[in-house]
Amino acid sequence: MSTENATASCSAAESALKTGKKKPVAIITIGMAGAGKSTFVQQINSYLHSLDPPSPPYVLNLDPAVASTSYEANIDIRDTIDYHKVMKEYNLGPNGGILTALNLFTTKFDQVLDLVEKRADTVDYVILDTPGQIEIFTWSASGAIITDAVASSLPTVVAYIIDTPRTTAPATFMSNMLYACSILYKTKLPFILVFNKTDVRPHDFAVEWMQDFEAFQAALASHQGTTDDEGEPTYMNSLMNSMSLVLDEFYKHLTAVGVSSVTGAGIKEFFDAVEASRAEYEKEYLPELQRAREAREKSLKGLKDESLSRFMKDLAIDREKNPAAAAADRWDPSAEDGDDGDDDDVDVNIIDRSDDVWPGQYIDVTRMRPRNDEGMAWPRPG
Ligand SMILES: Nc1nc2c(ncn2[C@@H]2O[C@H](COP(=O)(O)OP(=O)(O)OP(=O)(O)O)[C@@H](O)[C@H]2O)c(=O)[nH]1
């Protein structure tokens, strides 16, 4: 995490202490393409607006390729990066285009965090919608950087969206759980399994399989193709049996809720789970994060000290050898023109769409949104 981000997170913590307000919780929604991430984000957005008093969240869309979202994001990657232009410019296919767009956006993520930090006192939730191709977020450096940066700044929870009707076959269920497991171990963040589309298929079978190992074994056994011609378990079946034992341990670290992003059923229970995850984040994740940060700073300081002493030694030897060159090599302040061409201080690239309408104005999603930008729009000062 950059120093600015660390400072920003401290200032948010200080202001939270002053106002007595809890820090907002960041909800990172992840899920296979078509699982219903965007519909879910729209539903939780509507739910928070409908509370009394309303609690509008701060929404980030990180999917550069989505044609339209059914919610209005406060920060939208598409405002900064034209994914089609990236594909053309770098001669990439769709997935490479999304990944590169995300990489480019990540280079500006400190600005995003600053904008989020500014809202920390007025919002209770920060919601991140991620690219449809799950692996682009979960297995990329950018995804890891974004997740770590958010989690270093705010209590963070991963909402893993599952397409329940498509997960009723034991083998599919297990593949999905293994994927969830890999994300949990990668992020090490509080994790909520969100069984979506319960209006089509209730998720009780999944809860039963997660709580009762034997019930899952029975489902596996009753599934076609689990025994060979001689009635022996197939290789696949034995493998799944062993893996389900591993998953049994994994389920202990998870909360599962069933929701329908269409009807809104289960959304309240989802937020109850999010609040429980906040406590988990503070108790388990935060101390671990602080330990890791201290260790990183210590090793960085060691490296810096070592390279500085090496440099000073080399410099001394060099000066001994070339006293004339050393005498000529002096800093002349009058030679400075005050502008070194460094544009690091251009700091307005990421757009906060809610600047004009904040606080908490609900935005009509049917409204046309001007997209005048051609290509990547940074830097965009003023
Ligand atoms: N019946 C039902 N349909 C749903 C629900 N949630 C989403 N859908 C439908 O599932 C389809 C996919 O939903 P999206 O929200 O676009 O899914 P996504 O995960 O964002 O998809 P990508 O953009 O590909 O990542 C759409 O047709 C939605 O209407 C739900 O709870 N119930």
Side-chain angles (χ1 to χ4, degrees), residues 31-40 63 66 129-133 196-200 259-263:
M32 304 283 179
K37 291 180 295 297
S38 304
T39 318
F40 175 73
D63 188 350
V66 69
D129 192 5
T130 58
Q133 273 68 17
N196 190 27
K197 310 192 187 181
T198 51
D199 56 303
V200 179
V259 305
S260 166
S261 301
V262 169
T263 67

Side-chain angles (χ1 to χ4, degrees), residues 318-332:
D318 200 41
R319 290 193 164 189
E320 259 171 42
K321 282 190 189 157
N322 302 298
D329 185 20
R330 288 277 178 262
W331 175 55
D332 177 6

Side-chain angles (χ1 to χ4, degrees), residues 369-381:
R369 184 162 49 80
R371 295 283 308 276
N372 302 328
D373 303 349
E374 266 298 309
M376 281 172 283
W378 65 56
R380 187 190 295 177

Side-chain angles (χ1 to χ4, degrees), residues 21 36 59 64 70 73 88 103 143 155 176 179 183 238 263 271 280 333:
K21 183 192 172 296
V59 187
S70 44
K88 227 176 9 192
N103 287 344
N176 220 330
Y179 205 97
I183 300 173
S238 312
T263 67
F271 277 103
E280 190 189 331

Side-chain angles (χ1 to χ4, degrees), residues 79-282:
D79 287 337
T80 313
I81 298 166
D82 184 330
Y83 148 78
H84 293 286
K85 184 116 192 261
V86 169
M87 270 169 66
K88 227 176 9 192
E89 210 162 285
Y90 297 93
N91 197 20
L92 296 166
N95 284 343
I98 298 174
L99 182 60
T100 307
L102 194 66
N103 287 344
L104 290 168
F105 187 72
T106 305
T107 64
K108 299 285 163 185
F109 205 72
D110 55 328
Q111 291 182 30
V112 176
L113 271 188
D114 284 349
L115 289 168
V116 171
E117 289 288 348
K118 273 194 207 150
R119 305 290 190 204
D121 285 345
T122 45
V123 298
D124 293 322
Y125 299 99
V126 176
I127 301 169
L128 287 85
D129 192 5
T130 58
Q133 273 68 17
I134 186 170
E135 66 281 5
I136 288 180
F137 191 79
T138 52
W139 292 103
S140 68
S142 303
I145 291 168
I146 291 175
T147 307
D148 283 356
V150 172
S152 306
S153 188
L154 299 174
T156 304
V157 45
V158 174
Y160 183 72
I161 317 295
I162 298 164
D163 189 332
T164 313
R166 287 218 201 145
T167 314
T168 51
T172 320
F173 177 79
M174 206 167 66
S175 311
N176 220 330
M177 291 302 111
L178 284 171
Y179 205 97
C181 184
S182 69
I183 300 173
L184 172 76
Y185 285 110
K186 200 161 185 295
T187 62
K188 299 188 181 68
L189 284 169
F191 205 88
I192 302 175
L193 290 177
V194 181
F195 286 96
N196 190 27
K197 310 192 187 181
T198 51
D199 56 303
V200 179
R201 176 73 206 246
H203 71 303
D204 43 3
F205 72 92
V207 174
E208 191 192 0
W209 287 351
M210 288 169 68
Q211 287 173 350
D212 183 352
F213 175 69
E214 281 169 11
F216 183 68
Q217 296 278 311
L220 267 181
S222 67
H223 217 253
Q224 276 185 349
T226 51
T227 50
D228 61 20
D229 296 344
E230 284 154 23
E232 291 295 313
T234 58
Y235 163 73
M236 206 46 206
N237 194 34
S238 312
L239 180 68
M240 286 204 288
N241 272 329
S242 328
M243 286 200 296
S244 57
L245 269 173
V246 176
L247 283 174
D248 210 37
E249 179 61 30
F250 161 69
Y251 295 144
K252 291 184 192 135
H253 301 278
L254 300 179
T255 314
V257 289
V259 305
S260 166
S261 301
V262 169
T263 67
I267 297 294
K268 189 186 168 305
E269 288 72 17
F270 169 75
F271 277 103
D272 291 344
V274 170
E275 280 311 311
S277 299
R278 175 203 289 276
E280 190 189 331
Y281 168 92
E282 279 160 7

